[in-house]
Amino acid sequence: PLQQLRRRHTLMKLSLVLVALAAAAAPAAGFTPAARRHARTGTIRMLHSKNPEYGTQGHHGAMGTDPLPKRHPMAAPVLSDSAWKQMSDEALTGDDDVNFAISLIGSTGSIGTQTLDIVRARPDKFKVTALSAGGNLDLLADQAVEFKDTVKVISCGDESKVSELKDKLVERGVSSGIEVMGGAEGVNAVATEDEAGVVVTGIVGCAGLLPTIEAIKKKKRIALANKETLIAGGPVILPLLEEYGVTMTPADSEHSAIFQALQGVPPGGMRKVVLTASGGAFRDIEAAELARRCKEDPEWVRAKATTHPNWDMGAKITVDSATMMNKGLEVIEAHYLFGADYDDIDVVIHPQSIIHSAVETMDNSMIAQLGWPDMRLPILYSIAWPHRIAMPTGQFERPLNLVELGSMTFKAPDTDKYPCIQLAYDAGRIGGTMTGCLNAANEEANELFRGGAFNYEGIAKVVEETMNAHKKDMSGNPDLESILEVDQWARRYVREVAKKAAEKVLVAF
C-alpha cells in the first residue's frame, strides 16, 4: 500500500506538469493569460465565466456551465497546492511511524474527556503532555494523576486555586514532577508546552483566542474545537496561520466531515459546502404552530427548547440547536475554514444525523462523510490527519451498518421558524466584528432565555437588535483588542435590553 501511495503521489505531480505544459501552449488554444497562470498552479478554471479575469463577460462557464464559485482565504489545509503536498508527504510517513504529543485546553469538558479516551485507547500512538481546565479541580487532578508519566504542566482557570489544586495532587499521591499553574498565564503555558505538537482547543468562549494565538506563534498544529477562534477571531487568526505556517484541522463533527470529504479534491474542485442539521427540538412543529405555542404557552416552549430529540447535551447547545443558531455559527466557521463564499454554503435538515456534512464538486459529484454520531472520530482525525489510526474494537462506536440504518431523510430549514440562520448569514456577509457580535449576543440571550428573562422568540429579536446597534461601530478589519471589546459590549447590550424589557420600558419579548 505504501508503494501504491508513492506511485499516486508521483502521478499527481506528473499531472500538474502536464497541466503546466498545456498552459505554455495556451495562446494557440485561446487561453487567456489569467487562465495560463492558474493552469501552471494546477488550478483548473472554466473559461468564459462572469468573472472577466477568466474570459468574456456575460457568459457562464465553458459550454454554458454555471459561474465559478468565489473563494476566500481558508484556515484548513485543503484545496491548495501546498495542502496537497503536505497531505501526501505526511501520509507517506505511514501510520506505523507516527506518534502524537497533545496539549489539551479544556480537559474536563466534553471535548477534553473524549480526547483522553483516544489517548487511553492507543497509548502507543498518543500521549498528553499538558492539561488545562476551568473550575473542576477534582477531575483535573484525577486526569493529571492518571497521565502523570507524560504530563508536564497543568493549569486551572482561577489563579487563586493553584494551592488547592496542588493539595489535591498530593492527596492522590503526586507531590512532584508536574508544574501547577493558573489563570491566563497557566493556560498559555499549556498551549505552548514544548513537547506537544498538537494543541486541542476544547475551551469555551473568547477565552480560547489568546492561548490559540500563543500556540500558533509556537508553530503548534491546532485541532480546533473552540468556535470563537474563527467566528469571532477569524480576521486575526487566518493571517497568523499563514505567517507562521501552521495547520488548523477541525475537531467538530460537521466541519470534520467537510474536511474529510475534501481529501483528494484538487484546487478549484469544490463548488459548494452542505452542512447537515438535526433540526433541534422544533423540527417536527410547523412555524405557525410554534408561534401559537410561544404566545399561548411560553413555558412549554422553554421546556421543549432545552430538550434535544436525539441527544442529551448541555443546556446552551440544546437551545442553540432548537433555534438552529448552532448551524448558523457553523456556516461562519465553514466560510473561514474552507474559503467557501456564503452563497455556496447550504444547510439541510437531516433528522437521523448520519451524514455529518458534504461537499459538492465542480463535476456535480457530492461527497459526504457518514457514521453513527461519535465525537471521538472527528477529534481523532483532527489530531492524526492525514493518518487513519485504528481504534480497538468495542471501545468506540461500531462501524456504520447501512442495512441496519435502512433509510435517511432530508428537508430544507424553514427560515420563518429559524430566523437565527439568516442572522448568521447576514453577520457573515458583513464580516469583521459583526460575527463576534452575533456570537456574543446569542450566548447572552441564550442564557437569559433559559433563566426566564424573555420568551423563546426573544432570542432572535434581541440578537438582531444587538447587530443593528453594532453597525455604526463595526470594524471590517479588526485587531484582537477590538474583537474582545465587541464581545464584551454585545453581552452588556443584551443584558440591558433584557433589563428594559423586564421593566416594560420596551415591548416584552
Side-chain angles (χ1 to χ4, degrees):
L2 190 58
Q3 290 176 342
Q4 291 175 354
L5 187 55
R6 288 195 177 101
R7 284 197 294 271
R8 286 198 295 270
H9 187 217
T10 302
L11 288 172
M12 182 188 74
K13 290 181 177 179
L14 179 59
S15 67
L16 295 179
V17 171
L18 291 173
V19 170
L21 290 173
F31 273 54
T32 66
R36 290 199 303 274
R37 182 167 64 255
H38 286 287
R40 283 196 299 271
T41 63
T43 304
I44 309 301
R45 298 282 186 173
M46 292 293 187
L47 303 181
H48 308 305
S49 73
K50 289 182 178 179
N51 185 340
E53 183 183 359
Y54 300 112
T56 307
Q57 274 191 290
H59 288 69
H60 293 277
M63 296 181 291
T65 58
D66 290 334
L68 295 167
K70 296 178 183 177
R71 287 290 169 260
H72 303 268
M74 67 190 82
V78 291
L79 301 171
S80 70
D81 293 351
S82 60
W84 268 76
K85 185 178 187 305
Q86 181 184 1
M87 181 272 291
S88 57
D89 287 350
E90 292 193 23
L92 286 168
T93 304
D95 292 354
D96 293 338
D97 300 321
V98 294
N99 300 91
F100 303 91
I102 302 165
S103 168
L104 182 51
I105 302 175
S107 66
T108 59
S110 174
I111 296 294
T113 55
Q114 291 180 91
T115 300
L116 293 177
D117 285 345
I118 294 168
V119 178
R120 293 185 188 98
R122 289 297 304 269
D124 58 320
K125 289 295 179 186
F126 304 98
K127 66 178 178 180
V128 60
T129 64
L131 301 166
S132 79
N136 193 340
L137 301 188
D138 284 314
L139 181 53
L140 177 58
D142 288 342
Q143 292 171 343
V145 171
E146 179 182 357
F147 297 100
K148 66 181 183 297
D149 291 339
T150 59
V151 168
K152 305 293 192 303
V153 57
I154 64 173
S155 176
C156 57
D158 187 347
E159 193 172 2
S160 67
K161 300 289 186 180
V162 169
S163 294
E164 182 181 349
L165 181 56
K166 288 180 178 178
D167 290 342
K168 290 181 181 297
L169 289 180
V170 171
E171 291 169 4
R172 290 161 172 79
V174 176
S175 57
S176 63
I178 298 176
E179 184 177 7
V180 181
M181 303 180 69
E185 182 182 2
V187 71
N188 287 344
V190 169
T192 58
E193 195 279 321
D194 288 341
E195 189 178 359
V198 181
V199 179
V200 178
T201 60
I203 190 172
V204 176
C206 278
L209 269 173
L210 289 173
T212 301
I213 288 173
E214 293 305 310
I216 291 171
K217 290 179 178 178
K218 289 291 186 179
K219 299 190 174 183
K220 310 287 188 183
R221 177 179 291 184
I222 307 298
L224 181 68
N226 170 267
K227 61 185 175 62
E228 286 81 7
T229 297
L230 292 179
I231 292 171
V236 170
I237 295 296
L238 262 63
L240 283 174
L241 292 173
E242 183 175 3
E243 178 182 352
Y244 288 93
V246 168
T247 298
M248 177 175 281
T249 52
D252 69 304
S253 60
E254 291 83 1
H255 299 106
S256 177
I258 297 163
F259 183 52
Q260 293 180 63
L262 285 172
Q263 303 304 306
V265 176
M270 182 182 77
R271 176 182 289 146
K272 183 180 291 187
V273 166
V274 180
L275 286 163
T276 56
S278 69
F282 301 118
R283 72 183 179 203
D284 299 321
I285 299 176
E286 296 297 326
E289 172 65 10
L290 179 58
R292 184 185 69 81
R293 289 273 197 164
C294 286
K295 183 178 180 179
E296 297 177 1
D297 195 355
E299 292 310 311
W300 178 89
V301 175
R302 195 184 316 277
K304 181 75 170 174
T306 54
T307 306
H308 196 278
N310 290 1
W311 306 294
D312 181 15
M313 305 187 296
K316 192 266 182 187
I317 186 60
T318 301
V319 173
D320 276 351
S321 181
T323 64
M324 286 195 69
M325 178 62 92
N326 68 323
K327 209 53 52 177
L329 296 172
E330 288 172 15
V331 166
I332 297 170
E333 273 195 278
H335 166 78
Y336 280 118
L337 276 166
F338 309 113
D341 192 73
Y342 287 100
D343 290 344
D344 300 319
I345 305 174
D346 288 348
V347 174
V348 175
I349 292 179
H350 169 43
Q352 295 79 22
S353 300
I354 295 298
I355 293 180
H356 298 299
S357 280
V359 296
E360 180 183 312
T361 56
M362 293 298 290
D363 59 0
N364 295 331
S365 293
M366 184 165 284
I367 306 171
Q369 187 262 330
L370 289 72
W372 302 119
D374 186 340
M375 274 300 299
R376 290 173 295 183
L377 188 144
I379 295 169
L380 170 64
Y381 194 65
S382 72
I383 296 169
W385 175 85
H387 301 278
R388 296 285 186 173
I389 305 298
M391 290 289 113
T393 302
Q395 292 191 25
F396 279 33
E397 184 59 78
R398 67 195 187 284
L400 179 64
N401 185 316
L402 294 177
V403 175
E404 178 184 346
L405 175 63
S407 63
M408 296 184 288
T409 58
F410 308 88
K411 63 180 180 179
D414 184 338
T415 53
D416 290 334
K417 187 165 66 175
Y418 302 116
C420 287
I421 297 177
Q422 187 60 54
L423 290 177
Y425 274 97
D426 292 343
R429 289 187 171 104
I430 294 170
T433 52
M434 188 58 78
T435 52
C437 172
L438 167 90
N439 178 71
N442 174 69
E443 284 194 2
E444 202 68 29
N446 183 313
E447 182 177 352
L448 289 168
F449 161 74
R450 286 181 280 123
F454 46 73
N455 293 338
Y456 175 78
E457 291 172 312
I459 296 175
K461 290 179 180 179
V462 75
V463 170
E464 183 175 16
E465 181 174 338
T466 307
M467 290 170 60
N468 287 334
H470 180 54
K471 284 180 180 177
K472 65 181 185 299
D473 299 318
M474 203 276 300
S475 171
N477 187 27
D479 57 16
L480 179 61
E481 183 179 0
S482 299
I483 289 169
L484 296 176
E485 286 176 355
V486 168
D487 178 89
Q488 293 302 308
W489 171 85
R491 296 173 192 276
R492 289 194 303 271
Y493 189 89
V494 170
R495 289 194 295 269
E496 290 168 5
V497 170
K499 182 180 179 181
K500 290 176 181 178
E503 294 171 352
K504 302 186 185 301
V505 174
L506 296 178
V507 176
F509 291 114

